[in-house]
């Protein structure tokens, strides 16, 4: 795993920018007892390798908003609304302690209605969403655990280098101008180093 996260600033071009809460990109969870790894329930975690800035439009920084934004960049809700497996949790250092993921979204292969059923079968990219909205650091930023996974016959394990691959594919889809359901988005981003350690210590599946 590289010590690299990616920060996205997403603005719907058809909506006014409402700078939420603390008017900062995000708060480093490690500064208040949190972690840049989520908790998979087995003592290991997956890297929170993409952050949607708290300076993004408030229309993006909600469960409904991230779902529409996700559909604009090639992801959608899980197949027929069915989620298999236990949710993962994360401590974002915002005063809420460990909190379960808000939602999990999967690559839709060009079909936002049924495409995630294909992803469940053959694998692909997916991400979990955690919202930094606790009483101590209510930035509104969305922390994403993004990874590329194998097909169902491999138990949806992470592909080799799947955390980096998943992050880079999501970012490539997100940057620039996208749209869905009448909402046009403009997204810019930048690399952030130092939030995640180099190596696989503590990382689920032992992948980089």
């Amino acid at each position: 795993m590289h010590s690299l996260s990616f920060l996205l600033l997403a603005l719907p071009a058809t909506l006014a920018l409402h700078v939420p809460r603390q008017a900062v990109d995000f708060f480093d969870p490690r500064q208040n007892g949190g972690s840049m790894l989520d908790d998979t329930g087995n003592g290991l975690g997956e890297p929170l390798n993409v952050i949607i800035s708290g300076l993004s439009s408030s229309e993006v920084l909600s469960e409904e908003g991230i779902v529409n934004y996700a559909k604009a960049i090639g992801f959608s809700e899980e197949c027929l609304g069915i989620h298999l497996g236990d949710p993962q949790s994360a401590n974002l250092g915002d005063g809420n302690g460990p909190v379960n993921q808000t939602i999990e979204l999967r690559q839709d292969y060009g079909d936002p209605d049924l495409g995630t059923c294909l992803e469940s079968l053959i694998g692909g990219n997916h991400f979990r969403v955690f919202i930094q909205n606790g009483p101590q650091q209510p930035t509104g930023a969305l922390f994403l655990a993004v990874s590329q996974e194998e097909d169902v016959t491999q138990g949806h394990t992470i592909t080799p280098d799947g955390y980096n691959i998943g992050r880079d594919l999501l970012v490539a889809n997100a940057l620039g101008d996208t749209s869905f359901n009448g909402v046009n988005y403009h997204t810019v981003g930048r690399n952030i180093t130092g939030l995640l350690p180099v190596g696989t210590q503590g990382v689920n599946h032992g992948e980089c």
Side-chain angles (χ1 to χ4, degrees), residues 15-16 21 41 48 57 66 72 79 105 110 119 136-137 152-153 169:
L15 298 170
R21 303 174 178 92
L48 302 173
S57 170
I66 188 58
C79 177
L105 297 155
E119 193 280 340
Q136 296 175 12
Q137 299 293 337
V152 66
T153 66
L169 288 174

Side-chain angles (χ1 to χ4, degrees), residues 17-197:
L17 170 63
H18 303 290
V19 177
R21 303 174 178 92
Q22 292 185 330
V24 296
D25 284 317
F26 67 95
F27 173 77
D28 183 348
R30 303 170 302 169
Q31 295 182 18
N32 194 31
S35 175
M36 285 298 294
L37 296 176
D38 70 10
D39 183 356
T40 61
N42 61 0
L44 301 173
E46 298 189 351
L48 302 173
N49 50 7
V50 174
I51 303 169
I52 297 181
S53 169
L55 300 180
S56 299
S57 170
S58 60
E59 311 299 337
V60 175
L61 302 176
S62 66
E63 182 171 350
E64 180 180 356
I66 188 58
V67 168
N68 198 78
Y69 180 68
K71 290 179 178 180
I73 64 172
F75 296 82
S76 192
E77 297 102 323
E78 294 191 274
C79 177
L80 303 178
I82 299 172
H83 176 73
L84 300 177
D86 295 329
Q88 296 181 13
S89 64
N91 183 347
L92 300 182
D94 57 3
N96 278 337
V99 176
N100 284 347
Q101 64 197 46
T102 298
I103 194 170
E104 185 170 346
L105 297 155
R106 297 185 179 277
Q107 184 176 350
D108 66 15
Y109 290 99
D111 183 347
D113 296 319
L114 295 174
T116 56
C117 297
L118 181 60
E119 193 280 340
S120 294
L121 289 174
I122 69 172
N125 210 2
H126 76 305
F127 65 92
R128 306 170 194 273
V129 180
F130 304 90
I131 304 177
Q132 191 171 60
N133 59 2
Q136 296 175 12
Q137 299 293 337
T139 68
L142 306 182
F143 286 68
L144 312 184
V146 190
S147 58
Q148 179 96 339
E149 63 181 2
E150 303 279 12
D151 63 34
V152 66
T153 66
Q154 301 298 314
H156 287 162
T157 190
I158 305 302
T159 63
D161 202 30
Y163 296 117
N164 291 332
I165 291 171
R167 175 201 62 210
D168 293 347
L169 288 174
L170 183 147
V171 169
N173 284 348
L175 293 179
D177 297 315
T178 56
S179 64
F180 186 81
N181 197 30
V183 182
N184 301 310
Y185 300 94
H186 181 73
T187 303
V188 297
R190 72 174 187 268
N191 291 326
I192 302 176
T193 58
L195 290 177
L196 290 165

